[in-house]
Amino acid sequence: MTNKSWISLLGFLLAIALQMGLYGYPKLLTMGPASIHRWRQCDCLAMTQMYYEYNNPFLDPELLFIGPSGNGKCTPSELPIIYYTVAKVWQVFGKSETSYRLLDLGFMLMALVALFYLFRLYIPNPWLAGALVSLVYTSPIIAFYGISFLTDPSALFMAIVGTCFFFYYLQRRNWAFLLASALFFSLAGWFKISAAAAYFAISLVLFTDLIRLSNFGLWPKGNILKMMAIWSIPILAWFPWYAYAYYRGLIVTQGKMEFFLIGILPIWKMDSQWIWNTIGSCLADLKPQVFHRSVLLLLVFGQLFTFFFYRYTNKLIFWLSNIFIGIFILYVLLFFQVFNVHDYYFVNMMIVPIFMLLNCSITLYAVIKSTEVERFAMVLFGSLS
């Protein structure tokens, strides 16, 4: 890295640290579960405590609440890597919510730095790239849930890192980047399968390129099978866990599948009044948790802007951002029943506004730098002088 690169990275980290201070992180890091949905945060801590106190086997998580089945056994949809790891840390250094939050903070910082480098691939100005990522970090959902014991944000952060490594693979054609991408996507899907949205969006583009419906040049000549093998790692990693989680859930809860959702809660099982009530709650209570209204308007109009200036877009980012929007719509329809109150279900969909922001930023930057704009400005100022 050049001196300029180091300076821009340090400037970006300083801005993030300032935001963390404004968000009250020094105090929050010392707190237990707090604010909204603390019950779900307590679930995560409860499984960690059971690993800590009773040395439960890795694949045998338990809650403090025994439930109707009377045994406390549970099967969360997420692979309990984080709970088990934090429990082992507690056994060495002592029980502390701070150590759990610090692990979450480490994941967050890794993702924000990865996002900075992803934006730097397409935004030549490092300060502008840093400012855009700082804008992403103004999201209340990311800022609050990012260090809140839930696995949802950890899954999002792993997906962001995996996405960054994939785009670095495309730039450098280094197999290590592709392998790192596959491994981070595996972690993302293990933490929460909804975080696999980025993996499936990229896979769709890879498929269209393979069958010549698109021409992004994503596949390496002569090494297609090698790329397929590496890119299949997440699927091979996810399937055994989710099959196990489902069937273990049926067994330990005596068929009741209590505590955790392993399935969907779709809109088509709701009546019209329920749907309208959910829409009202979502717009009034959940929408402000995603971004400030001004940022949401910027993203919507920015995405529309790229359609009018399509020739200035980065075609891969443009189509990926629109695929993400399609995935988001499908996700909302499949889990619509939770959107009356469960804002953390939006966490893993934050990859959608991130790519919308990247798409419109690339396009706007290209438009401003274009010769047509320069020529128009010269004519305009020439006529005014």
Side-chain angles (χ1 to χ4, degrees):
M1 290 178 66
T2 64
N3 288 335
K4 269 189 171 183
S5 298
W6 277 113
I7 291 171
S8 61
L9 176 60
L10 290 173
F12 166 70
L13 290 174
L14 182 62
I16 294 298
L18 179 61
Q19 285 179 271
M20 288 180 176
L22 293 172
Y23 297 157
Y25 273 31
K27 180 180 179 181
L28 187 59
L29 284 168
T30 65
M31 297 172 61
S35 191
I36 56 176
H37 298 302
R38 69 180 65 189
W39 59 271
R40 187 61 182 86
Q41 299 171 49
C42 288
D43 287 341
C44 301
L45 278 174
M47 284 183 279
T48 305
Q49 183 164 325
M50 296 302 281
Y51 280 126
Y52 166 66
E53 290 188 359
Y54 299 103
N55 276 313
N56 284 3
F58 175 63
L59 294 178
D60 189 28
E62 292 184 21
L63 289 171
L64 297 173
F65 175 58
I66 63 172
S69 59
N71 58 22
K73 301 289 184 181
C74 65
T75 303
S77 58
E78 64 270 17
L79 187 69
I81 300 174
I82 295 178
Y83 313 139
Y84 189 81
T85 301
V86 173
K88 295 305 174 185
V89 171
W90 284 359
Q91 289 174 352
V92 176
F93 297 102
K95 181 182 174 182
S96 168
E97 284 84 358
T98 299
S99 59
Y100 199 133
R101 287 190 186 270
L102 284 174
L103 178 64
D104 288 341
L105 181 64
F107 290 156
M108 175 190 286
L109 284 171
M110 181 170 61
L112 290 173
V113 171
L115 204 55
F116 171 73
Y117 280 107
L118 176 59
F119 274 68
R120 282 287 288 115
L121 282 177
Y122 299 100
I123 306 293
N125 188 314
W127 301 104
L128 177 58
L132 291 170
V133 179
S134 292
L135 179 63
V136 170
Y137 189 44
T138 64
S139 167
I141 277 183
I142 294 177
F144 174 72
Y145 284 121
I147 57 169
S148 69
F149 309 109
L150 298 182
T151 54
D152 300 71
S154 299
L156 171 68
F157 299 148
M158 295 301 107
I160 288 172
V161 177
T163 303
C164 178
F165 273 122
F166 178 78
F167 281 95
Y168 265 84
Y169 164 73
L170 294 182
Q171 292 279 333
R172 311 284 174 83
R173 293 298 175 178
N174 186 323
W175 291 110
F177 286 128
L178 186 65
L179 181 59
S181 176
L183 293 177
F184 274 99
F185 275 128
S186 297
L187 286 171
W190 272 337
F191 291 168
K192 278 293 176 185
I193 195 60
S194 54
Y199 175 83
F200 288 121
I202 293 172
S203 297
L204 179 59
V205 175
L206 283 171
F207 178 72
T208 61
D209 229 34
L210 184 65
I211 62 174
R212 310 284 183 173
L213 286 178
S214 61
N215 188 29
F216 297 120
L218 304 180
W219 294 92
K221 293 181 180 179
N223 282 302
I224 290 178
L225 290 179
K226 183 177 181 180
M227 185 174 180
M228 280 184 174
I230 295 174
W231 194 246
S232 299
I233 289 174
I235 297 292
L236 298 175
W238 298 332
F239 181 77
W241 163 249
Y242 283 100
Y244 170 81
Y246 180 77
Y247 286 106
R248 182 179 185 273
L250 289 175
I251 294 169
V252 301
T253 65
Q254 301 171 13
K256 299 170 185 175
M257 297 299 284
E258 58 202 16
F259 303 128
F260 300 105
L261 173 68
I262 301 179
I264 59 175
L265 296 170
I267 190 172
W268 52 84
K269 291 189 176 181
M270 304 167 66
D271 59 42
S272 59
Q273 186 60 49
W274 188 4
I275 290 173
W276 283 113
N277 288 342
T278 302
I279 291 173
S281 298
C282 187
L283 293 177
D285 302 325
L286 271 60
K287 179 172 65 67
Q289 311 286 354
V290 177
F291 274 117
H292 188 270
R293 182 185 302 173
S294 60
V295 179
L296 292 174
L297 289 173
L298 173 69
L299 291 172
V300 171
F301 286 109
Q303 191 71 12
L304 293 173
F305 169 82
T306 62
F307 281 91
F308 290 103
F309 291 89
Y310 178 73
R311 67 192 182 101
Y312 292 100
T313 62
N314 177 288
K315 302 305 182 289
L316 177 58
I317 300 297
F318 173 84
W319 285 110
L320 269 176
S321 67
N322 285 289
I323 290 170
F324 275 126
I325 293 172
I327 290 174
F328 172 74
I329 294 171
L330 177 62
Y331 176 81
V332 169
L333 293 176
L334 289 175
F335 294 94
F336 197 79
Q337 295 175 36
V338 307
F339 293 121
N340 60 333
V341 66
H342 295 89
D343 55 352
Y344 61 85
Y345 269 74
F346 279 129
V347 169
N348 283 307
M349 290 296 106
M350 291 305 293
I351 196 72
V352 180
I354 287 172
F355 261 79
M356 290 172 67
L357 180 63
L358 180 59
N359 177 42
C360 63
S361 300
I362 292 171
T363 307
L364 181 60
Y365 194 89
V367 168
I368 292 173
K369 290 291 184 179
S370 68
T371 55
E372 286 86 349
V373 172
E374 291 178 1
R375 192 179 302 116
F376 174 77
M378 290 175 63
V379 171
L380 177 62
F381 286 112
S383 64
L384 293 175
S385 60

